[in-house]
Amino acid sequence: MKESRRTFLKKISTLASVALAGGGLGSSVFAKEEDIKWDESWDVVVVGSGFAGSAALCEAIDMGVKTLMIEKMPVLGGNSAINGGAFAIVGSPHQKRKNVEDSYELYVKDIKKAGLNLNQVDLVETIAKNGYDAYKFTVERGVVYRDDLGHFGGHSVPRTIWPEINSGGKITIPLQEYAQQKGALIRTRVIFDDLILSNKGQVIGIKVRENYDFNYNKSVDEEDNKSGVAKFYRVYGGVVMASGGFSYDIKFRQEMDPTITPDLDCTNHYGATAYTLKNLMKINVQTVDLNWIQLGPWGSPDEKGFGIAPVFAIPAFAYGIMVDARTGKRFINELADRKIRADAILKINKNPDGSLTHPVVICDSVGATGTTKANVYRGLHKNVIKKFDSIEELAQFYSIPYEGLKKSIDNYNSYVKSGKDLEMGKPFFKLDGKVVDISKPPFYAWRALPKVHHTMGGVKIDIEARVYDKQNNIIQGLFAAGEFVGGPHGASRLGSCAIPDCIVFGRIAAKNAAQRSMQVRG
Amino acid sequence: MKESRRTFLKKISTLASVALAGGGLGSSVFAKEEDIKWDESWDVVVVGSGFAGSAALCEAIDMGVKTLMIEKMPVLGGNSAINGGAFAIVGSPHQKRKNVEDSYELYVKDIKKAGLNLNQVDLVETIAKNGYDAYKFTVERGVVYRDDLGHFGGHSVPRTIWPEINSGGKITIPLQEYAQQKGALIRTRVIFDDLILSNKGQVIGIKVRENYDFNYNKSVDEEDNKSGVAKFYRVYGGVVMASGGFSYDIKFRQEMDPTITPDLDCTNHYGATAYTLKNLMKINVQTVDLNWIQLGPWGSPDEKGFGIAPVFAIPAFAYGIMVDARTGKRFINELADRKIRADAILKINKNPDGSLTHPVVICDSVGATGTTKANVYRGLHKNVIKKFDSIEELAQFYSIPYEGLKKSIDNYNSYVKSGKDLEMGKPFFKLDGKVVDISKPPFYAWRALPKVHHTMGGVKIDIEARVYDKQNNIIQGLFAAGEFVGGPHGASRLGSCAIPDCIVFGRIAAKNAAQRSMQVRG
């Protein structure tokens, strides 16, 4: 048995060494089923355990098929677990309670505007129309949302909701628990290596490595990590690729966009590499938009990774201003989309000697109530957010010319009063029924530095979450969802649109994989 | 003066080391004009000396502005000089003489079909509508076309013409001579390094290195070649980037498409690297479609580089058949587009042990008259094309089962007779008024192995050849044309559509650059 496994692996490596350019789906393995010694069999295998994977897991198990989720890391959840949990949908009870008028068309329009109109529009429409159902799906499976409605940058109206606390883990964990209770199996430390294809190019299984040891040393390419034990899983229905983006793959992200240099910090978990994506690219899977990599404008130089700044940034940008610390002047609409804000910060933050002067974001004590007290406390405790009794103190602390800052705040307050931001065109929204200016101490502030946050590119899918090869043919048995997919967000993803994307397409992918399983098995 | 140059270069390298991600056009140099010691000044500088560059040079000098062409290699012409000279246009005298009905719409449709509909359509339409003018433009500047009309794979009708001999040099050289006679200057061994931008992000000049020594050792990345002497050229009107594709950049092409492995041969000249493209990507110039890299299906394993096979392939594919040497059976429409044919070859040519069995393309003595006698002679002389008195001999030479091959030829001849290819759906066209089957000895044959030929991706332009940055803004003073541009050809470029693309957009780019010069200088 060991010998036959070794022979098989030899065959894989022989074939993989042949140039497979363009020649149909050139998997590492075009296998005859009888040649393979399968270790296990499944109807649906979900690769990745974030929003998309967790939604897929629920959908597949609800359809009554034998379902496995694999996660290469020792912990579940990927980026979703450390994400802020912001979820933008049209028609939530939250919008209704606040009489916010919204529409699918407006939602699509906002996403396309942020994406510089490079979006694959049918995917955006699918997200818009199925977002509310995705929300209900999570509620029915144990996710609890709090009664807040947020207004994220780039959105025409407030449409963002959150689970109990600002964490995506409050969505992934209930979904995973629900699926496990219904019989789905979840395994950590199992890495996806290769598709096993029939000679017709259909997916019939996967090669994985169990007991995988992820290497947290960022100077080691994941390709070079050979840990774990090879296993072959027969898959009857389909593989749902939901293994996320590659923001923390320092080499690959720079290859795709040379402006994303290694010194840029990243908000993602360490596992966000391009390993899986590159394996599929090698066998001729079609990709789109890999050159579009998003920087989050709400990162802070005063903490590593995602941190607390992005959470506090929500009220700070909505109810405050961002100024150039050299002048005290505003320089961008604080509610513009992520790309516009990140680009604007990176345009002004450099000094002639190469050093950086970080812009400062400021709101007052009323504005700060736009997020929970716990979030404010965490930011202060971590020294990322600072609190000041007066604007003078604040200006002094950050070395901002006081007169310049004072003038910017005075102007801003007059715009708030008139309801029209004459300087930057930022829309104003009420907080608990009141307009909010910057006048009531204490004042809160933090410094902004964009960080690599999201990779817009990935494999190309259709609205049924089916993956294309580079001949524009559908690959039978291969589905994908979430950040692993390219297209819906074009050049830049609008904030709080990842969760609806992941849940909508995770469900579609799993449904189609499960249905295919039933067809195949009769 | 030396000191000031050194200071300037220091500033460049300091700024370049700062992460410039997303922050507007983050050139290596945002310069104050007074800080720079310019070595020279020009209205228009054209980078690259192939079809696009040569057309741009003519157009600019015709507009009476001070024009320079720079070429990093010691010889002019780039890939264009070693290209087959095939030029597809609608409405040529050649089509009229043969009563071929054609239209812009059909031309666009063919290009989009080959491009898997991923094309930037407004660019394709511009090429279609201006192709005939581009042809006339070259005729008026000394290019002589012979009286042949070819039918290239993927085209609905014959629309391909050639200069006197099958070489693009017969187009670039007359254009360059014309422009030089009118006062344009051409310099070889000058490499483009960087744009110099005003603080508004407009192009005001370029940094180049004169006396550049290209390194022909393919294991050395062009980035590491520091030869030459730095110079700064003031540019009033615009820079026309026409420096071609990156098919011979073994590292970069594999980064963009991992199926393009280093073992694949390449039809391009050695200078076809991504050096210039990567420099522009580093300063936030927008790119598209870098993951689409074309293999030419008409390469031969029996010669290096472009060679003679692609030239002989034109009649051989049109008037003959391609068979799997293991069976003698046809496996693809020999006039399908390049991608379909290359993909089909790579799908069948691999043996289980990793070795390759090359398919064989066969036509008879009448079919071979579809190209010049000189071309046939060159192919025979180089041992790339083989000549046989009988099909038996041919089958024996290539170890093709005779019965299988005989049956394929008999079937094919019956399809030619009936006018309908029942097996592969190949369209039949007459040669000198006669239908052509495979029956008149001697028989000609060659073996096919796809080679890396064309990179579809490049910088993003609009129909005025203006280049976009990653904020979707036009970069003032930067124009691009030819293979350096991405978009018109989508996933795969249709054969003989490179020359019209290059000449049409080279002219547009130069016209706009020259006009801008007149506006700027008043």
Side-chain angles (χ1 to χ4, degrees), chain A residues 176-251:
Chain A
Q176 289 162 7
E177 285 177 350
Y178 167 89
Q180 282 175 306
Q181 278 159 19
K182 289 194 74 174
L185 203 66
I186 299 178
R187 290 182 185 152
T188 55
R189 297 184 53 217
V190 179
I191 188 165
F192 168 92
D193 275 341
D194 278 304
L195 296 175
I196 313 286
L197 303 172
S198 71
N199 54 12
K200 286 182 189 158
Q202 302 183 335
V203 175
I204 57 170
I206 60 176
K207 175 183 171 277
V208 302
R209 274 174 292 150
E210 298 179 351
N211 287 314
Y212 179 68
D213 273 322
F214 182 78
N215 189 333
Y216 289 84
N217 179 347
K218 271 290 155 201
S219 67
V220 176
D221 196 302
E222 191 154 25
E223 277 182 356
D224 299 326
N225 181 344
K226 308 292 185 196
S227 66
V229 180
K231 298 279 177 180
F232 294 83
Y233 298 167
R234 177 74 172 92
V235 183
Y236 293 104
V239 178
V240 177
M241 300 303 311
S243 54
F246 56 85
S247 284
Y248 227 137
D249 195 314
I250 291 168
K251 181 164 166 273

Side-chain angles (χ1 to χ4, degrees), chain A residues 153-171:
Chain A
H155 288 272
S156 295
V157 297
R159 55 167 76 106
T160 299
I161 63 172
W162 288 268
E164 298 161 90
I165 63 166
N166 285 53
S167 170
K170 282 283 177 187
I171 296 175

Side-chain angles (χ1 to χ4, degrees), chain A residues 5 7 105 111 126 129 159 178 183 226 237 308 325 330 376 388 407 430 433 475-476 482 487 495:
Chain A
R5 179 60 49 94
T7 312
E105 292 71 25
I111 288 181
T126 303
K129 285 178 188 159
R159 55 167 76 106
Y178 167 89
K226 308 292 185 196
I308 186 67
R330 294 169 74 200
V376 178
F388 303 94
K407 196 175 165 202
K430 290 180 179 176
I475 301 161
Q476 300 298 322

Side-chain angles (χ1 to χ4, degrees), chain A residues 20-237:
Chain A
L20 286 159
L25 197 67
S27 166
S28 309
V29 185
F30 277 104
K32 279 186 201 160
E33 223 193 307
E34 57 270 27
D35 289 346
I36 302 174
K37 162 92 184 66
W38 298 106
D39 292 286
E40 296 181 357
S41 71
W42 298 92
D43 289 313
V44 175
V45 175
V46 177
V47 181
S49 63
F51 296 122
S54 302
L57 192 71
C58 290
E59 189 73 40
I61 205 68
D62 280 350
M63 289 184 70
V65 300
K66 195 181 167 204
T67 306
L68 171 70
M69 168 186 276
I70 60 173
E71 166 59 55
K72 72 178 178 184
M73 304 300 282
V75 290
L76 292 172
N79 282 326
S80 302
I82 56 168
N83 149 302
F87 189 170
I89 46 171
V90 175
S92 66
H94 307 65
Q95 278 191 329
K96 282 180 189 143
R97 280 195 290 272
K98 301 221 167 166
N99 297 312
V100 174
E101 278 195 41
D102 198 358
S103 69
Y104 300 146
E105 292 71 25
L106 191 59
Y107 188 97
V108 170
K109 195 178 155 199
D110 288 346
I111 288 181
K112 284 172 65 183
K113 189 180 171 202
L116 299 180
N117 270 306
L118 300 175
N119 318 62
Q120 186 178 329
V121 178
D122 58 353
L123 301 182
V124 188
E125 287 167 348
T126 303
I127 297 166
K129 285 178 188 159
N130 294 285
Y132 177 69
D133 269 356
Y135 155 79
K136 273 204 311 186
F137 177 86
T138 63
V139 170
E140 286 160 10
R141 281 153 190 80
V143 180
V144 177
Y145 293 87
R146 67 171 198 263
D147 183 21
D148 265 1
L149 182 67
H151 188 213
F152 261 49
H155 288 272
S156 295
V157 297
R159 55 167 76 106
T160 299
I161 63 172
W162 288 268
E164 298 161 90
I165 63 166
N166 285 53
S167 170
K170 282 283 177 187
I171 296 175
T172 54
I173 293 169
L175 295 183
Q176 289 162 7
E177 285 177 350
Y178 167 89
Q180 282 175 306
Q181 278 159 19
K182 289 194 74 174
L185 203 66
I186 299 178
R187 290 182 185 152
T188 55
R189 297 184 53 217
V190 179
I191 188 165
F192 168 92
D193 275 341
D194 278 304
L195 296 175
I196 313 286
L197 303 172
S198 71
N199 54 12
K200 286 182 189 158
Q202 302 183 335
V203 175
I204 57 170
I206 60 176
K207 175 183 171 277
V208 302
R209 274 174 292 150
E210 298 179 351
N211 287 314
Y212 179 68
D213 273 322
F214 182 78
N215 189 333
Y216 289 84
N217 179 347
K218 271 290 155 201
S219 67
V220 176
D221 196 302
E222 191 154 25
E223 277 182 356
D224 299 326
N225 181 344
K226 308 292 185 196
S227 66
V229 180
K231 298 279 177 180
F232 294 83
Y233 298 167
R234 177 74 172 92
V235 183
Y236 293 104

Side-chain angles (χ1 to χ4, degrees), chain B residues 44-46 54-68 137 184 240 506-507 510-511 513-514 518:
Chain B
V44 174
V45 175
V46 177
S54 302
L57 192 72
C58 291
E59 188 73 40
I61 205 69
D62 281 349
M63 290 183 71
V65 300
K66 196 181 167 205
T67 305
L68 172 69
F137 177 86
V240 176
R507 293 182 64 195
K511 193 175 171 189
M518 297 181 220

